[in-house]
Amino acid sequence: MAQHTIAVVVGSIRKDSFNKKLATALEKLFPAEFGFTYVRIDDLPLYNQDDDGNPSAQVTRIKDEISAATGVLFVTPEYNRSIPGVLKNAIDHASRPYGHSAWNGKPAGVIGVSGGPIGTAMAQQHLRNILAYLNMPTLGQPEAFIHQKDGLYDADGNIGEASLKFLQGWVDAYVAWVKKHA
């Protein structure tokens, strides 16, 4: 059984999401004592402070999943040089009402993949700013701005040989980060 559960929040809800594929491939690089819960964010209502006192079942679900996790792994695309609205909506829901944030103190990792050569650098920076406010200790180094290109994955959907050493190093750093802050 997993000693550490990681809540995986994929910022894309696209059926063939590059970031969901990356999250699934990265999961295979973690040690056996890590387990994963994929947090569903596509069914959340738009955040409205008027609903803080009576959250929907979907909001309660994501807050419970995040609260139960040891850490959070954000895997996000970049939309217009920032994070997708659906991800921001999920973050807002789980941080409210004020003083009852499910994110508080959870060690975070931020990574993402896109078709552009700078990967998701701007989205990751915007996300890091948000996570700092939410009191989430966030792995700063190594940074991982992944370019979606041939060879990133092998035929079985695993991380390809050309990227394996780098991404294994990123996972190892995140594992140590989670253990340090758990």
Side-chain angles (χ1 to χ4, degrees), residues 4 6 18 26 31 41-42 60 65 68 73 75 100 104 107 114 121 141 157-158 163 167-168:
H4 302 286
I6 302 300
F18 293 155
L26 287 175
I41 64 173
D42 68 332
T60 300
E65 289 172 348
L73 175 60
V75 187
H100 298 279
N104 188 42
S114 78
Q141 296 291 324
N158 300 308
S163 300
L167 287 173
Q168 185 64 66

Side-chain angles (χ1 to χ4, degrees), residues 147-162:
H147 183 192
Q148 175 70 35
K149 60 183 179 179
D150 287 341
L152 179 57
Y153 306 103
D154 66 18
D156 297 320
N158 300 308
I159 299 297
E161 188 175 323

Side-chain angles (χ1 to χ4, degrees), residues 9-152:
V9 182
V10 177
S12 171
I13 59 173
R14 191 170 66 87
K15 184 176 88 175
D16 294 322
S17 166
F18 293 155
N19 286 276
K20 176 70 183 279
K21 186 173 183 177
L22 177 62
T24 303
L26 287 175
E27 185 180 328
K28 299 172 188 173
L29 303 180
F30 279 79
E33 74 258 25
F34 279 73
F36 302 87
T37 299
Y38 282 76
V39 178
R40 183 177 176 191
I41 64 173
D42 68 332
D43 64 342
L44 296 172
L46 291 176
Y47 176 73
N48 181 339
Q49 189 175 5
D50 291 342
D51 298 329
D52 281 358
N54 188 25
S56 69
Q58 296 92 333
V59 171
T60 300
R61 180 195 69 229
I62 70 162
K63 288 190 78 163
D64 289 348
E65 289 172 348
I66 294 159
S67 294
T70 309
V72 182
L73 175 60
F74 292 93
V75 187
T76 188
E78 181 168 302
Y79 294 173
N80 300 314
R81 298 287 187 247
S82 191
I83 63 172
V86 68
L87 176 57
K88 181 64 165 74
N89 188 54
I91 291 169
D92 290 345
H93 271 298
S95 70
R96 305 296 296 185
Y98 184 79
H100 298 279
S101 175
W103 307 111
N104 188 42
K106 300 286 180 182
V110 178
I111 194 167
V113 60
S114 78
I118 64 168
T120 59
M122 292 296 295
Q124 288 188 39
Q125 187 57 49
H126 286 184
L127 183 55
R128 289 172 189 282
N129 289 341
I130 295 165
L131 302 182
Y133 174 77
L134 295 174
N135 195 36
M136 296 183 76
T138 304
L139 178 67
Q141 296 291 324
E143 295 176 308
F145 311 127
I146 310 303
H147 183 192
Q148 175 70 35
K149 60 183 179 179
D150 287 341
L152 179 57

